[in-house]
Amino acid sequence: MKFLSCLALLTVTSGRILSSEISKDSNSDQENVINVKIGQILPRHQCRRALRNLQVLLSELTRHLHQVSGGSDLVSLYRVELPSSWRNTECTLEISTREGRTASTDLLVTGNHPLLGASPYPDQFGSCGVRGRRVVLPFSVLTETTQLGERELNSSLLEVYRWRYGVFSETGLHADAMYPRNVTRGPETVRNEGCSEEDLRSNGGLCPVSSYYSGADTKQNLLCGETSARKTILNRFLNTDPVKFEKARVEYVVPSDTERVILLLEQSALMADKWSSVLSSTFQFINSLSEGIELAVVTFGRSATVQLEPTRVVGGNREGLHYRIPRRIATEANRRTACLVCGLVTSSELATNTTTLIILSSSVTHKNNTELMKFEASANTIITRRIVFGKLDQQQPSTLDSSSRPVFMINQDQDFLNVTSDVSQALAASLPDHTVPSKKFHLQSLPTRDTEGSFWVEPSLSTDLWIQLLLEDTTDVNVFEIKSPSGQIFSFPKFDAGLVYFSLRGPRETGVWSYRIRFYSSAQASGHMILECWGSGGAGQINLQSWSQSSEQAGQPVHIYAKLDQAGLPVINAEVFAVVEKPGSGEPVRIELVDNGSGYPDITRGDGIYSAYFTSYAEKPGFYTVIVEASNNSTAGVINTRKVDNNSTVSCCGSSLPTEPLIPLESFHRFSMSHSFHLDSVAEFYVSAGAIQRRDTVPPNRITDFRLANYFNNSLFVTLAWSAPGDDYTLGRAFRYEIRCFTTRKALSQANFDEQGILVHSTLVPAPEEQGVEQRCTVGVPWPEEVFYYAIVAFDSAGNHGEVSNIISVYVNEPVTTTVIESTTMSLDMKDVSKTLPLKSFIHSESLMYIIAGIISFILIVIVIILTVIIRRLGVCSKKSSPSSSTDPTAVAGETPSLPDLCHEQSYMRNSISYMSGYDLPEMLEYTLRSSSQKAAAQELTNNNVHRLCDQYLVVNSTKVSGSLPTAEVFSASRYYTASHKSPSPVIAASASQHSPSISPVNSTFTVGQSTDCSVSVSGSDHEMVGDTLQVVTPGHQVQTEYLGRPEPKPRKIPPAVPSKTVHASLV
């Protein structure tokens, strides 16, 4: 009966909770509420003008959102939160207000951005179609003129489109590396835009679908698959019916001056082993609350009990407030279930319009979980945060949507120390910074033995220091003392709620602090302890926020985000890591978050939002916890806005915000816990060779910075560059690349890449490097004077491939040669490309090895064939010319035969004759032209057992002939020949027979006892005159020529005509 009465009371709670009978339709209407918050910075004397122009903006926004969505998106309510200082002033005289506040902020009216100035901008972080965090509207947009100008209106509407529907700029931006304002297409430089400026102006800042150019290098095309922003918005509402247009209502709320926090703690048997952690974490939490905050404590078991009525937090009552929390579980709490609805009803009675309700419970599977969802949906003025103890591998209730109603899951399988630390971090993340200014800046796990160490206290967190030790038994600690940089020692810690701590109120020294811990000898040294340091600061402190986003589509990665800023300025170049704890056993996964603006996943560099993919899925469904840590490794800083020229010209939302000049930051550490996410998809496994293997289903990341690095002058070669992706999106190293080109962009789309793209040979493409490393390759454009489009895709070893990269265009002019003529020298003004081309990839390719091996083999074969032919020719001829093999019956033993044997196979057309000096050349020619039978008779007739026939025609000067011929003498012989001639003189023949040096008519040299090879060419038929004079010359002697009278022609038989008039004779 008590449960029913609590349920009835929940349905009739006054004002702050609407009817519990909220249908799904009303929940969908809730999605069409846009919350607007006006910051305290807006001057009160301009409030009426600002509110009037804001009404105009909201009215136009309702109409344009309805039009751009095809009649499907209709905003029904604008809830505007006014500054509390405007209550009962001239600002609210003309409008109706009520007490309340907005649960979230969609449109924030505040001051100018430090970099973007007075331009409105969307705080976007996600990919295409993901709603951003908010739209930031500088109040000068509303106060600059009495009536809202057209330019201010259109720019504000455009930024709302981008925030609400997750679309991006459709034009290039000035000085943007990835999305430039002008691009080169072919031989021309054109504007980089999806449509003309006239189309943008006439269509509310969005390009029309009909005339959209999907090939522009814009952020919209890169992130949304070359689809226009307008088409992306329409695709969002394909399955939604249009609704009739109605004007939206505008509701103004004014929050109260005091924030109220209600702790709703479960007391059941399921919380018995976790209650010590609850006590320790809430003790630190209450001590970190800002002064002036009102705190209330409610516990619920079988019924709900108010343990602490709303009480203002002041300097000396924090410990007393914590003592109102029960020290142990009530005896009646032996039941394993608790009445959560009873606790909600009791808490709602204590709530105001500025209340934050923090629920610490044991599970998300309460039977009355539906009522909790109704409470969260109806209590618009109450912000609800849930911290749940349980196992991470439990199923998510169908009524719990972790994306819209987040929950902090605490893994109860951890030890007491880690559970306490996680609950403290979750409590700090449940409240805004102004409510809990204390931030954790040091976390260290230590063994439970005597130890010493240090920690750094930074200037921005040097107020209200809180240093605590978490350990199983605080009585084991003998000494715990800390020392300031100046040497001041604090040696009297407090022991309370399972903590050993120092609470140092007020500002403290900055720098390196040291600590010393000593244990009693009886303490166990096998355990561990955790040292934590917390502090608060002023407006210049560094803030860290983290969140995650999971997709409902299977196979999509989880996105983890963190935002790091200092007084509104983004902190860049910091080191940010996320530690993700998975369901089941296994070590937590550590992932680095980056702010590089690549688009996948980080969309804008330098905005202070760091992003990462998570793909290390567990073996079973369940919850994943995320803790983000940010630190400065001597590289982090913020932009020096005073040295940035023309802040108003900085373009919003391109690939990067300005990253220079930087103001370096001091060393810092920050910790943040983001909401847990639940995944039904798990890792896949298969059995191979008797072992269980994890199936790789995650592809490499998409390459988005594929670009043309440079041209090679007067050649068709270009260098392409890109940053290496990972194997599993951004983790690991990919396996290989594919680069393809074609003359049209459509051939390289995701659907046509494998079929129509022309593949660049793999030998020219390098192997993938580690993620983020720049890689290059040199390729040749197929032909000049035409635009070729190139794209690249990464593959992993399992065959998974990423998306097609951004497509680039390459145009090469026809190589031009310049001819310079000087005198008779002509040179070409061409660059030797072979000296400049990077041939590394080609030299190390396997194809080059095959080519070289083939060339060498071919050369060796040719050489072997040539040598074989030469050897055979020389072998046959030498065999026939050997004296022992001579068949001449007239040959005298020991004498040189009168005429060596010849290779008679060449007796046609040309005849080769080997002869010794002293023989008559015409006679030898005649001898050759005879038949073989005539040769023998002629040889016997002319030889007469002396030296060879040609010696009878050798003419030697009688004054030069002696008994022994000198080593080098000059012989001069001259004879005129005709078809017939006389016989030689016996004296001359005898003299010649005694001295038969080798005479070469061509080389004109001879050496005693040696033969000289030469070739003689005789032109004309064999009976024609060969020449007038034949000279034989040796070096060092004068040439003597003797003219002989023409002899009488000797009758002889004229041989038949020779077909060729050129006869070649080879002399040996």
Side-chain angles (χ1 to χ4, degrees):
M1 292 295 295
K2 191 166 186 177
F3 172 79
L4 294 176
S5 62
C6 292
L7 183 61
L9 182 61
L10 175 65
T11 61
V12 296
T13 302
S14 62
R16 292 181 294 272
I17 304 179
L18 301 179
S19 173
S20 62
E21 300 298 327
I22 300 176
S23 63
K24 293 184 179 180
D25 292 336
S26 62
N27 286 335
S28 62
D29 291 339
Q30 185 74 16
E31 296 180 358
N32 287 330
V33 175
I34 293 182
N35 295 314
V36 183
K37 182 176 181 179
I38 300 178
Q40 295 280 358
I41 194 174
L42 197 155
R44 200 174 77 178
H45 68 277
Q46 294 182 324
C47 62
R48 300 180 67 179
R49 176 185 294 184
L51 290 176
R52 184 167 55 251
N53 288 333
L54 179 62
Q55 289 179 343
V56 174
L57 173 62
L58 299 181
S59 176
E60 291 295 319
L61 180 60
T62 305
R63 183 173 61 86
H64 281 81
L65 291 178
H66 186 263
Q67 292 177 353
V68 78
S69 64
S72 299
D73 187 13
L74 180 63
V75 178
S76 58
L77 173 64
Y78 293 98
R79 184 176 290 113
V80 182
E81 179 182 332
L82 304 177
S84 59
S85 59
W86 289 9
R87 181 187 291 109
N88 299 327
T89 63
E90 70 278 7
C91 299
T92 58
L93 292 178
E94 299 179 357
I95 58 176
S96 175
T97 63
R98 67 175 183 84
E99 294 288 328
R101 69 173 179 180
T102 58
S104 61
T105 303
D106 301 323
L107 179 60
L108 177 62
V109 180
T110 184
N112 293 347
H113 190 273
L115 294 175
L116 302 177
S119 301
Y121 65 94
D123 191 359
Q124 291 180 281
F125 61 89
S127 57
C128 183
V130 176
R131 179 174 293 187
R133 303 181 70 202
R134 62 177 62 90
V135 178
V136 180
L137 186 68
F139 69 82
S140 60
V141 175
L142 303 176
T143 60
E144 186 174 0
T145 58
T146 56
Q147 293 184 350
L148 187 64
E150 182 180 0
R151 183 179 62 85
E152 289 78 10
L153 174 63
N154 291 334
S155 62
S156 301
L157 293 175
L158 180 60
E159 303 308 331
V160 172
Y161 297 155
R162 294 172 178 173
W163 155 76
R164 188 169 178 85
Y165 303 123
V167 295
F168 307 94
S169 174
E170 295 177 295
T171 61
L173 303 174
H174 175 70
D176 196 292
M178 293 183 63
Y179 319 115
R181 175 172 295 179
N182 299 314
V183 295
T184 301
R185 295 195 185 105
E188 300 178 351
T189 299
V190 297
R191 290 293 298 269
N192 183 28
E193 54 191 9
C195 60
S196 64
E197 294 182 0
E198 179 63 29
D199 287 339
L200 287 174
R201 285 193 298 268
S202 59
N203 289 273
L206 298 179
C207 290
V209 177
S210 58
S211 60
Y212 184 72
Y213 176 57
S214 61
D217 299 330
T218 62
K219 194 171 186 176
Q220 172 65 27
N221 282 337
L222 179 70
L223 301 183
C224 294
E226 300 186 351
T227 304
S228 67
R230 191 177 294 273
K231 184 65 175 179
T232 302
I233 297 172
L234 293 175
N235 292 339
R236 187 186 183 99
F237 299 98
L238 286 178
N239 300 322
T240 304
D241 295 331
V243 294
K244 184 180 179 181
F245 176 78
E246 294 180 359
K247 287 188 63 176
R249 297 182 295 109
V250 180
E251 179 181 282
Y252 296 95
V253 295
V254 181
S256 60
D257 296 331
T258 304
E259 297 276 350
R260 179 170 295 183
V261 177
I262 300 177
L263 291 177
L264 180 59
L265 310 178
E266 177 184 345
Q267 276 201 320
S268 67
L270 294 176
M271 294 289 291
D273 57 343
K274 310 174 185 67
W275 198 249
S276 297
S277 295
V278 172
L279 290 175
S280 298
S281 57
T282 53
F283 183 78
Q284 188 273 331
F285 171 73
I286 293 175
N287 277 273
S288 65
L289 290 175
S290 300
E291 291 195 9
I293 299 295
E294 294 182 348
L295 176 66
V297 178
V298 177
T299 60
F300 67 95
R302 297 182 59 182
S303 61
T305 303
V306 178
Q307 303 291 346
L308 176 65
E309 293 288 343
T311 305
R312 187 180 296 272
V313 176
V314 292
N317 70 343
R318 287 182 171 85
E319 294 180 0
L321 296 178
H322 182 264
Y323 291 154
R324 301 302 301 268
I325 299 177
R327 300 292 99 179
R328 62 180 64 184
I329 300 296
T331 56
E332 65 173 10
N334 53 7
R335 297 178 54 184
R336 299 182 62 86
T337 59
C339 179
L340 178 61
V341 173
C342 299
L344 294 175
V345 171
T346 303
S347 298
S348 65
E349 294 175 348
L350 303 176
T352 63
N353 56 36
T354 58
T355 298
T356 300
L357 176 64
I358 302 177
I359 305 173
L360 275 77
S361 60
S362 60
S363 176
V364 295
T365 57
H366 294 291
K367 294 181 179 180
N368 52 13
N369 192 63
T370 303
E371 298 301 327
L372 175 62
M373 300 301 106
K374 292 179 180 179
F375 176 85
E376 292 178 340
S378 60
N380 295 319
T381 60
I382 299 178
I383 299 176
T384 305
R385 298 289 183 260
R386 299 189 62 189
I387 302 174
V388 178
F389 297 90
K391 293 182 177 294
L392 297 183
D393 56 358
Q394 62 180 304
Q395 294 292 328
Q396 176 178 254
S398 58
T399 55
L400 178 62
D401 182 5
S402 60
S403 61
S404 60
R405 299 178 180 92
V407 59
F408 295 100
M409 284 295 300
I410 306 299
N411 186 8
Q412 67 179 16
D413 294 334
Q414 302 179 101
D415 57 25
F416 158 76
L417 305 182
N418 290 318
V419 169
T420 304
S421 180
D422 288 351
V423 175
S424 298
Q425 194 66 60
L427 287 170
S430 301
L431 295 177
D433 293 339
H434 68 275
T435 305
V436 183
S438 185
K439 308 296 180 185
K440 183 193 294 185
F441 62 87
H442 184 83
L443 174 65
Q444 189 175 10
S445 179
L446 301 168
T448 54
R449 61 171 181 263
D450 296 349
T451 183
E452 297 179 358
S454 62
F455 55 88
W456 170 266
V457 176
E458 58 191 88
S460 62
L461 288 181
S462 60
T463 303
D464 297 339
L465 295 181
W466 179 276
I467 296 96
Q468 66 180 16
L469 272 180
L470 298 174
L471 67 166
E472 294 287 346
D473 189 357
T474 60
T475 61
D476 291 338
V477 178
N478 183 16
V479 175
F480 178 34
E481 65 180 22
I482 58 176
K483 182 188 294 186
S484 69
S486 65
Q488 183 180 4
I489 298 177
F490 300 87
S491 56
F492 300 102
K494 295 182 179 181
F495 292 72
D496 201 346
L499 300 176
V500 183
Y501 68 94
F502 289 96
S503 178
L504 307 179
R505 294 292 172 180
R508 295 294 172 174
E509 297 180 51
T510 63
V512 178
W513 288 59
S514 61
Y515 63 85
R516 186 170 67 95
I517 305 172
R518 295 290 183 268
F519 289 87
Y520 290 106
S521 58
S522 60
Q524 296 182 357
S526 58
H528 76 102
M529 58 184 174
I530 296 178
L531 174 65
E532 292 185 350
C533 301
W534 299 68
S536 59
Q541 69 178 7
I542 297 173
N543 299 314
L544 175 65
Q545 297 174 298
S546 60
W547 65 96
S548 60
Q549 182 188 26
S550 57
S551 175
E552 298 179 356
Q553 299 180 0
Q556 294 297 317
V558 177
H559 297 71
I560 300 177
Y561 302 98
K563 184 172 184 178
L564 197 62
D565 68 275
Q566 182 187 44
L569 279 174
V571 177
I572 60 178
N573 298 335
E575 290 186 347
V576 183
F577 290 90
V579 178
V580 182
E581 191 173 2
K582 303 185 294 184
S585 59
E587 293 294 326
V589 179
R590 185 178 174 89
I591 306 171
E592 182 178 9
L593 281 66
V594 296
D595 181 18
N596 56 11
S598 65
Y600 290 79
D602 191 74
I603 62 173
T604 305
R605 181 189 177 196
D607 61 349
I609 298 179
Y610 296 76
S611 315
Y613 289 120
F614 174 77
T615 57
S616 301
Y617 308 130
E619 302 175 4
K620 57 182 67 176
F623 286 91
Y624 294 73
T625 64
V626 182
I627 295 180
V628 177
E629 176 184 357
S631 61
N632 178 16
N633 190 20
S634 303
T635 58
V638 295
I639 294 296
N640 189 346
T641 56
R642 295 182 179 181
K643 293 186 178 181
V644 176
D645 296 331
N646 300 326
N647 290 341
S648 60
T649 63
V650 176
S651 300
C652 166
C653 317
S655 64
S656 176
L657 291 177
T659 57
E660 291 181 352
L662 277 183
I663 300 177
L665 295 175
E666 297 188 64
S667 177
F668 66 82
H669 280 83
R670 293 291 184 277
F671 299 86
S672 173
M673 173 177 280
S674 67
H675 299 118
S676 304
F677 58 89
H678 187 277
L679 292 180
D680 292 325
S681 58
V682 297
E684 299 181 12
F685 297 88
Y686 66 96
V687 178
S688 176
I692 300 178
Q693 304 290 336
R694 186 187 184 100
R695 189 182 303 279
D696 185 0
T697 60
V698 182
N701 199 21
R702 183 186 183 189
I703 298 173
T704 58
D705 61 347
F706 192 49
R707 60 194 181 277
L708 176 64
N710 66 280
Y711 290 90
F712 286 97
N713 293 333
N714 293 326
S715 72
L716 296 179
F717 292 96
V718 296
T719 299
L720 308 177
W722 66 93
S723 297
D727 180 11
D728 295 344
Y729 287 103
T730 54
L731 300 179
R733 177 187 296 192
F735 180 68
R736 66 181 179 91
Y737 296 121
E738 276 192 10
I739 299 179
R740 295 180 181 267
C741 68
F742 208 73
T743 55
T744 59
R745 289 181 60 94
K746 291 184 178 180
L748 301 180
S749 64
Q750 196 71 39
N752 302 328
F753 184 83
D754 295 334
E755 299 179 357
Q756 298 184 20
I758 302 174
L759 181 65
V760 174
H761 200 275
S762 60
T763 58
L764 302 177
V765 183
E769 298 287 348
E770 291 293 338
Q771 191 268 337
V773 176
E774 181 180 287
Q775 295 193 263
R776 295 190 172 210
C777 76
T778 299
V779 300
V781 179
W783 57 80
E785 304 295 339
E786 186 165 358
V787 178
F788 279 86
Y789 296 93
Y790 283 79
I792 185 173
V793 169
F795 290 76
D796 63 12
S797 56
N800 302 310
H801 62 85
E803 297 182 41
V804 177
S805 70
N806 59 303
I807 302 175
I808 62 173
S809 61
V810 177
Y811 180 86
V812 177
N813 292 316
E814 182 75 32
V816 178
T817 59
T818 304
T819 303
V820 179
I821 301 178
E822 296 181 0
S823 299
T824 59
T825 303
M826 181 177 66
S827 62
L828 298 180
D829 186 14
M830 289 288 289
K831 181 179 180 180
D832 187 3
V833 180
S834 63
K835 295 181 180 179
T836 59
L837 290 180
L839 300 177
K840 178 180 178 181
S841 60
F842 184 70
I843 290 175
H844 291 282
S845 64
E846 295 182 359
S847 300
L848 180 61
M849 296 174 61
Y850 297 149
I851 294 173
I852 294 176
I855 293 175
I856 294 175
S857 301
F858 176 76
I859 294 175
L860 291 176
I861 292 173
V862 172
I863 292 174
V864 170
I865 293 175
I866 294 174
L867 291 177
T868 303
V869 173
I870 293 174
I871 292 173
R872 292 189 60 185
R873 290 286 303 275
L874 293 178
V876 172
C877 293
S878 61
K879 182 178 179 181
K880 290 184 178 183
S881 61
S882 177
S884 61
S885 61
S886 176
T887 57
D888 190 355
T890 63
V892 180
E895 279 189 319
T896 302
S898 60
L899 189 64
D901 198 2
L902 303 174
C903 297
H904 298 290
E905 293 80 5
Q906 298 181 2
S907 59
Y908 59 91
M909 298 296 292
R910 297 183 181 183
N911 295 271
S912 297
I913 305 173
S914 298
Y915 64 96
M916 299 297 295
S917 62
Y919 287 87
D920 184 18
L921 181 60
E923 198 69 29
M924 294 174 65
L925 296 175
E926 182 180 357
Y927 176 86
T928 303
L929 297 174
R930 295 176 184 175
S931 62
S932 59
S933 60
Q934 291 173 333
K935 288 180 181 180
Q939 181 177 358
E940 183 178 2
L941 178 63
T942 58
N943 189 20
N944 293 323
N945 294 325
V946 292
H947 287 284
R948 305 194 178 188
L949 288 171
C950 294
D951 290 348
Q952 63 181 323
Y953 293 105
L954 179 63
V955 180
V956 184
N957 193 332
S958 59
T959 60
K960 298 294 181 179
V961 178
S962 60
S964 63
L965 191 65
T967 304
E969 291 189 5
V970 178
F971 288 82
S972 177
S974 178
R975 187 69 59 101
Y976 294 92
Y977 300 96
T978 57
S980 61
H981 51 273
K982 294 181 180 182
S983 299
S985 169
V987 177
I988 297 177
S991 176
S993 64
Q994 296 177 4
H995 310 283
S996 57
S998 177
I999 301 175
S1000 173
V1002 176
N1003 293 336
S1004 301
T1005 62
F1006 74 93
T1007 304
V1008 176
Q1010 296 181 351
S1011 298
T1012 302
D1013 294 336
C1014 62
S1015 297
V1016 177
S1017 297
V1018 181
S1019 298
S1021 60
D1022 63 309
H1023 59 276
E1024 293 177 346
M1025 183 180 295
V1026 176
D1028 297 331
T1029 303
L1030 179 64
Q1031 297 181 353
V1032 180
V1033 182
T1034 58
H1037 294 78
Q1038 270 189 331
V1039 179
Q1040 299 181 7
T1041 304
E1042 181 179 352
Y1043 291 90
L1044 302 179
R1046 185 184 299 272
E1048 293 292 332
K1050 180 179 177 181
R1052 62 183 178 86
K1053 184 178 179 180
I1054 299 175
V1058 180
S1060 175
K1061 289 188 178 184
T1062 302
V1063 179
H1064 298 274
S1066 178
L1067 284 72
V1068 181

